[in-house]
């Protein structure tokens, strides 16, 4: 900074002088509350200032002043450290708390001149003159403007606009506004010169709240408070200050829930300062609503909203924010809503039940069925609620809006209302089935079939499509979906329906996809899943679309198309978390489908964490054998590597518990196959043999009862093969593997082909068939490499890594492509994990390159060889004897599969070995 400039805050020394010689408005105010470091906010402000303008706007007490002060102090105490953001240097840094009571523009310009360190000129200085003075400086001038409000005096308002629009290039501004400023900054914004920080960026994150509260609150309390407060800094500060003096557990809960009188008092004061009394009264009526529009607010309150009040709604975040329902819809901040509900409760003229009924009528007239039913039930008008569900098509609500919507609507109705209507009983049956009460749902639907004349009741045909849909779903949950007669009937229906019957075609193809997957017809499963997806996308049924994407993930995973499977699963997760974020069960099912691929790619911790989280909603809600097997199998495998056998077996125990509770014999058999694999991998051979022998004796009976499919057959053959290897019975092991290879070539299951080939590498090598072992390895690498699937190889343990090194020594690396060598290197480097051990990773997240194939010394020797050095020169450079270097070079030649120095260089270049 230039020393001839006398600004307040020019540097640490001049800042101290400025504090004594200038009024308080020219320096940052003191902070009386407990502040926390917010480097991300500070970084955004300084980045915005380095461009041109950083604009902060939010309601009061969102930390705007504290954020500006932190950035200001960072600049003034460390001007030399700003070279990256301000290469031309900083000539001056000033502060001004802008007054909304400036009588004229001249007064405001005088204060700006003082803040900018410009000596006053004779007479009144104009803004262009001030710009000229600042523009002559060699470095940047930084101006921090705090508490800027919309000036009432037109001249001051015009001057403020000119300050932002026409400031010289070397004048950079950081400003804080309570309201969205009406400044014409669009042109600057298009050029990337304006950085905005709103209440969303200024709100505390979860980690910042944990820092602020420290040990005053536990993790659950912090999560509750975050959801209630949205990270509003003022509410966080009030809560933190109150906590030490609160001993009553109920009061403590109310504080974290955002339902404490002190929080209500603060929010009420803020609302009164920001809105008119009439808008405050209107918002009080909206406290009964999750979402409201100005039209609905006027309908409930009987009051008229002025245009300025409607415009103000967009400027009141976080007190009022935009709703997910779309443009023109809003929702109240949780604490404000509780505050207004408390005001509503003390007004004898406002009965919430009457307001709910009034809202229900409004929503019914506009075909917003979910809202209509919810408010009708809360208002006690159950006949209106039931009628709204019937008018919406009953179970079609499930397809259109998702299970959570229908479940919420049904749960709002008393049992007596449901049992009076066959249509509502069918809806309730669907809710039971989707909630895991499959047997109860089956009993209800059988009872409904016995009711006379149900077709004519309510104009709702529950005999054909509705019954078919729900019966098909129950069949899936009970693992009965592949009954040949039922599959043929679905195929006939799909062939006869016209293309425009998208609803029926959607659910038919959904059910066919699951049936084909169960019977191993993967091509047909993939084809019908795509058809179902197209139907649901045409109808914009997001819930059903997420399910079809998930099915495509499952089918592609079985087919060995792991990359495509992960893409479908991610699309399903994104849909579930955006449009169906309240449906934990749907999100959990999508997570299970994605976990299969993450496991195969070696992301074991992610798998364990996601499946631990997914287990609870799936076990207590919707699920079928395919999902249960993937859930517990991948959870057990990841736990075995990370946490040990006991926790892995606990996952299998839970699988058997679910199998018994839901009467799923196939899941029981799959659980026993899992035990054989876990015991074999853990060296408990006798236990594995006992279970395998017991399974062998029941296979024929289980298959006859349709409790044993192609998947159990393949899994059991692989488990038996691995067990035979452990016993040294290589011929028997290969017989089992060949059965899997034959089945998988027949139905296109790349997943099982890969698993069989990987195991065959070990069996053939240990049996002395070295050439066949190489062939299996090359095929497995080609199948796995493109999808970055390494875990099947790693799961075979250190013995398999030793076999890979032996293959390299015997055949050389020249028999593999460069990508193949890299793949082998990562497999060998990513050895089987011990309980609690992390996978070895480099900075870019990949396993160390070539680890285990060439030793560190061998790589050093190879590097010097490629530079053209002789053995003697290499020995001298590495400080080793020439005999030692000859030993290392012999190993390098052996592993590369060459016998000359020039060939070693050529092969290592081709294989990109550094």
């Amino acid at each position: 900074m230039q020393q001839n400039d006398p600004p307040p805050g020019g540097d640490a020394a001049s800042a101290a002088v400025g504090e004594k010689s200038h009024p308080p408005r020219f320096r940052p105010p003191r902070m009386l509350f407990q502040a926390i470091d917010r480097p991300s906010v500070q970084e955004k402000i300084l980045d915005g200032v380095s461009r041109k303008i950083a604009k902060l706007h939010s309601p009061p007490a969102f930390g705007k002043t504290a954020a500006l002060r932190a950035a200001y102090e960072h600049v003034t105490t460390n001007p030399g450290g700003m070279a990256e953001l301000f290469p031309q240097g900083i000539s001056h840094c000033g502060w001004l708390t802008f007054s909304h009571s400036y009588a004229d523009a001249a007064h405001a310009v005088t204060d700006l001149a003082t803040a900018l360190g410009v000596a006053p000129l004779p007479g009144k200085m104009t803004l262009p003159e001030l710009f000229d003075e600042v523009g002559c400086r060699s470095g940047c001038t930084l101006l921090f403007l705090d508490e800027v409000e919309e000036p009432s005096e037109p001249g001051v308002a015009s001057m403020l606009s000119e300050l932002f629009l026409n400031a010289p290039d070397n004048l950079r501004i950081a400003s804080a506004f309570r309201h969205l400023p009406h400044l014409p900054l669009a042109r600057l914004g298009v050029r990337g010169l304006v950085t905005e920080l709103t209440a969303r960026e200024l709100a505390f994150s979860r980690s910042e709240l944990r820092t602020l509260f420290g040990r005053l609150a536990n993790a659950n309390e912090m999560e509750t408070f975050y959801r209630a407060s949205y990270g509003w800094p003022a509410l966080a500060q009030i809560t933190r200050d109150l906590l030490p003096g609160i001993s009553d557990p109920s009061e403590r809960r109310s504080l974290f829930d955002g339902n404490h009188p002190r929080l209500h008092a603060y929010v009420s004061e803020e609302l009164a300062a920001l809105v008119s009394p009439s808008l405050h009264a209107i918002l009080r009526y909206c406290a009964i609503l999750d979402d409201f529009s100005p039209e609905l607010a006027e309908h409930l309150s009987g009051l008229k909203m002025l245009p300025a009040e409607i415009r103000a709604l967009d400027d009141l975040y976080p007190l009022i924010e935009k709703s997910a329902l779309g443009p023109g819809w809003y929702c109240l901040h949780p604490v404000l809503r509780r505050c207004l509900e408390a005001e509503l409760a003390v007004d004898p003229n406002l009965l919430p039940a009457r307001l709910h009924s009034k809202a229900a009528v409004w929503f019914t007239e506009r075909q917003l069925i979910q809202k209509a039913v919810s408010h009708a039930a809360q208002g006690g008008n159950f006949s209106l609620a039931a009628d709204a569900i019937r008018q919406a098509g009953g179970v079609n609500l499930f397809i259109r809006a998702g299970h959570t919507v229908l479940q919420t609507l049904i749960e709002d109705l008393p049992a007596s209302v449901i049992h009076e209507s066959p249509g509502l009983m069918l809806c309730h049956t669907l809710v039971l089935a989707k909630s895991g009460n499959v047997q109860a749902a089956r009993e209800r639907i059988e009872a409904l079939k016995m009711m006379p004349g149900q077709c004519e009741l309510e104009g709702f045909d529950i005999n054909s499509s509705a019954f078919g849909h729900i019966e098909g779903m129950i069949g899936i949950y009970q693992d009965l979906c592949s009954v040949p007669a039922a599959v043929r009937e679905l195929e006939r229906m799909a062939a006869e329906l016209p293309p425009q019957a998208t609803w029926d075609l959607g659910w038919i193809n959904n059910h066919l996809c699951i049936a084909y997957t169960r019977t191993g017809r993967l091509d047909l499963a993939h084809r019908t899943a795509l058809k179902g997806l197209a139907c649901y996308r045409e109808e914009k049924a997001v819930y059903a679309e997420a399910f079809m994407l998930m099915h495509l993930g499952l089918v592609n995973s079985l087919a060995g198309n792991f990359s495509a499977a992960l893409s479908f699963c991610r699309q399903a997760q994104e849909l579930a978390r955006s449009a169906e974020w309240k449906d934990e069960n749907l999100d959990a099912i999508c997570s299970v489908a994605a976990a299969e691929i993450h496991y195969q790619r070696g992301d074991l911790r992610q798998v364990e964490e996601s499946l631990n989280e997914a287990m609870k909603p799936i076990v207590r809600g919707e699920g079928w054998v395919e999902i249960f097997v993937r859930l517990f199998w991948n959870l057990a495998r990841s736990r075995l590597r990370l946490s040990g056998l006991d926790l892995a077996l606990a996952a299998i125990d839970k699988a058997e518990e679910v199998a018994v509770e839901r009467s799923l014999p196939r899941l029981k058999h799959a659980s026993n196959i899992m035990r054989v694999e876990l015991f074999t991998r853990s060296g408990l051979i006798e236990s594995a043999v006992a279970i395998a022998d017991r399974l062998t004796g029941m296979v024929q009976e289980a298959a006859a009862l349709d409790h044993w499919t192609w998947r159990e057959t393949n899994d059991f053959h692989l488990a038996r093969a691995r067990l035979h290897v452990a016993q040294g019975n290589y011929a028997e092991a290969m017989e089992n593997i060949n059965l899997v290879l034959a089945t998988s070539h027949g139905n296109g299951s790349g997943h099982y082909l890969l698993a069989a080939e990987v195991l065959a590498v070990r069996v053939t090598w240990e049996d002395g068939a070295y050439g066949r072992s190489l062939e299996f390895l090359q095929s497995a690498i080609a199948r796995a490499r493109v999808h970055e699937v390494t875990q099947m190889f790693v799961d075979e343990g250190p013995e398999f890594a030793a076999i890979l090194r032996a293959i390299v020594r015997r055949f050389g690396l020249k028999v593999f492509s460069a990508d193949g060598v890299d793949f082998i290197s990562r497999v060998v480097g990513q050895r089987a994990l011990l309980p609690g051990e992390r996978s070895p990773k480099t900075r870019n997240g990949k396993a160390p390159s070539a680890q285990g194939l060439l030793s560190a010394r061998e790589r050093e020797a190879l590097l010097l060889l490629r530079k053209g050095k002789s053995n003697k020169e290499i020995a001298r450079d590495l400080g080793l004897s020439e005999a030692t270097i000859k030993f290392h070079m012999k190993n390098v030649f052996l592993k590369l599969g060459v016998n000359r120095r020039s060939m070693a260089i050529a092969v290592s270049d081709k294989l990109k070995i550094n």
Side-chain angles (χ1 to χ4, degrees), residues 583-631:
D583 195 331
E584 292 182 353
N585 206 158
L586 176 60
D587 182 61
I589 290 172
C590 293
S591 296
V592 170
E596 173 80 18
I597 301 95
H598 289 304
Y599 180 85
Q600 297 301 343
R601 290 187 169 185
D603 302 324
L604 303 192
R605 290 201 179 277
Q606 179 180 346
V607 170
E608 185 179 31
E609 290 171 5
S610 66
L611 294 186
N612 280 334
E613 187 175 336
M615 181 161 48
K616 186 175 180 180
I618 290 180
V619 166
R620 73 185 181 197
E622 181 179 14
W624 58 100
V625 171
E626 180 72 16
I627 290 297
F628 289 132
V629 169
R630 288 174 186 254
L631 166 64

Side-chain angles (χ1 to χ4, degrees), residues 847-902:
S849 177
Q851 180 174 329
L853 297 181
L854 295 182
S855 68
R857 281 296 188 200
E858 289 166 356
R859 289 197 299 273
E860 290 174 344
L862 177 61
L863 179 62
L864 293 172
L865 174 67
R866 292 169 68 178
K867 292 181 179 180
K869 296 195 174 187
S870 66
N871 287 350
K872 185 177 291 186
E873 291 171 326
I874 295 172
R876 185 174 61 249
D877 288 354
L878 297 180
L880 301 172
S881 69
E882 188 173 354
T884 301
I885 292 303
K886 288 181 179 179
F887 171 77
H888 287 314
M889 294 307 302
K890 178 181 177 182
N891 287 336
V892 170
F893 285 13
L894 188 65
K895 291 178 181 180
L896 294 179
V898 300
N899 53 18
R900 293 199 305 275
R901 298 167 71 89
S902 59

Side-chain angles (χ1 to χ4, degrees), residues 513-752:
C513 170
I514 296 173
Y516 290 148
T517 302
R518 191 182 187 280
T519 54
R521 291 179 283 178
L522 299 182
D523 286 346
L524 288 175
H526 187 266
R527 196 178 310 157
T528 51
L530 289 174
K531 290 180 180 178
L533 178 63
C535 289
Y536 288 137
R537 279 181 171 169
E538 185 175 340
E539 290 290 345
K540 298 180 174 59
V542 176
Y543 177 81
E545 182 182 342
F547 257 98
M548 295 315 303
L549 287 166
M550 179 272 302
H551 285 312
L552 281 165
L554 295 174
V555 173
N556 276 276
S557 177
L558 286 172
N561 302 321
F562 298 104
S563 298
L566 185 57
S567 175
F568 284 124
C569 290
R570 283 174 173 166
Q571 291 179 58
Q573 286 179 306
E574 289 171 4
L575 274 183
R577 291 171 182 175
S578 59
E580 299 292 338
W581 58 272
K582 291 183 179 180
D583 195 331
E584 292 182 353
N585 206 158
L586 176 60
D587 182 61
I589 290 172
C590 293
S591 296
V592 170
E596 173 80 18
I597 301 95
H598 289 304
Y599 180 85
Q600 297 301 343
R601 290 187 169 185
D603 302 324
L604 303 192
R605 290 201 179 277
Q606 179 180 346
V607 170
E608 185 179 31
E609 290 171 5
S610 66
L611 294 186
N612 280 334
E613 187 175 336
M615 181 161 48
K616 186 175 180 180
I618 290 180
V619 166
R620 73 185 181 197
E622 181 179 14
W624 58 100
V625 171
E626 180 72 16
I627 290 297
F628 289 132
V629 169
R630 288 174 186 254
L631 166 64
F632 294 113
W633 195 296
N634 288 312
L635 181 57
R637 283 171 166 170
S638 60
R639 283 182 176 179
L640 180 66
R641 296 303 179 195
L642 297 173
S643 308
L645 180 61
D646 288 345
L647 286 179
L649 290 175
I652 307 304
D653 291 341
K654 190 63 179 179
E656 291 192 342
E657 180 184 320
V658 172
V660 172
E661 287 180 354
R662 302 205 179 198
S663 299
L664 298 173
R666 188 159 68 97
L667 178 57
K668 172 72 171 177
H669 297 320
S671 301
N672 282 322
I673 297 172
M674 295 181 211
R675 288 190 190 277
V676 174
E677 178 176 322
L678 293 181
F679 284 141
T680 302
R681 290 190 187 280
S682 302
L684 302 175
I685 305 304
E686 290 184 3
S687 299
V689 169
I691 298 174
D693 288 345
R694 189 167 67 249
L695 277 172
T696 302
M698 62 177 64
V699 168
Q700 189 172 354
E701 180 184 356
L705 295 171
D706 200 27
H707 299 158
W708 190 278
T709 70
W710 69 284
R711 288 207 62 189
E712 287 72 52
T713 299
N714 282 348
D715 288 328
F716 188 45
H717 282 317
L718 290 173
R720 286 294 299 268
R722 191 169 288 106
L723 183 55
H724 282 309
V725 172
Q727 296 172 309
N729 302 325
Y730 302 118
E732 292 87 342
M734 203 61 216
E735 286 179 11
N736 282 273
I737 291 173
N738 285 331
L739 291 172
V740 177
L741 290 171
T743 301
S744 302
H745 279 298
N747 69 359
S749 176
H751 173 94
Y752 283 107

Side-chain angles (χ1 to χ4, degrees), residues 200-247:
R200 295 183 186 277
E201 289 79 25
L202 294 170
F204 283 155
S205 66
R206 287 177 169 86
S207 61
E208 287 173 328
L209 284 176
R210 287 194 293 269
T211 300
L212 178 67
F213 281 80
R215 296 185 177 181
L216 290 173
N218 60 43
N220 290 335
E221 289 173 331
M222 279 291 83
E223 182 61 25
T224 299
F225 181 73
Y226 180 79
R227 292 178 181 273
S229 68
Y230 293 174
W232 191 342
L235 299 185
Q237 191 63 49
I238 293 171
T239 300
R240 188 198 177 281
D241 292 343
L242 288 175
L243 270 179
I246 294 178
S247 57

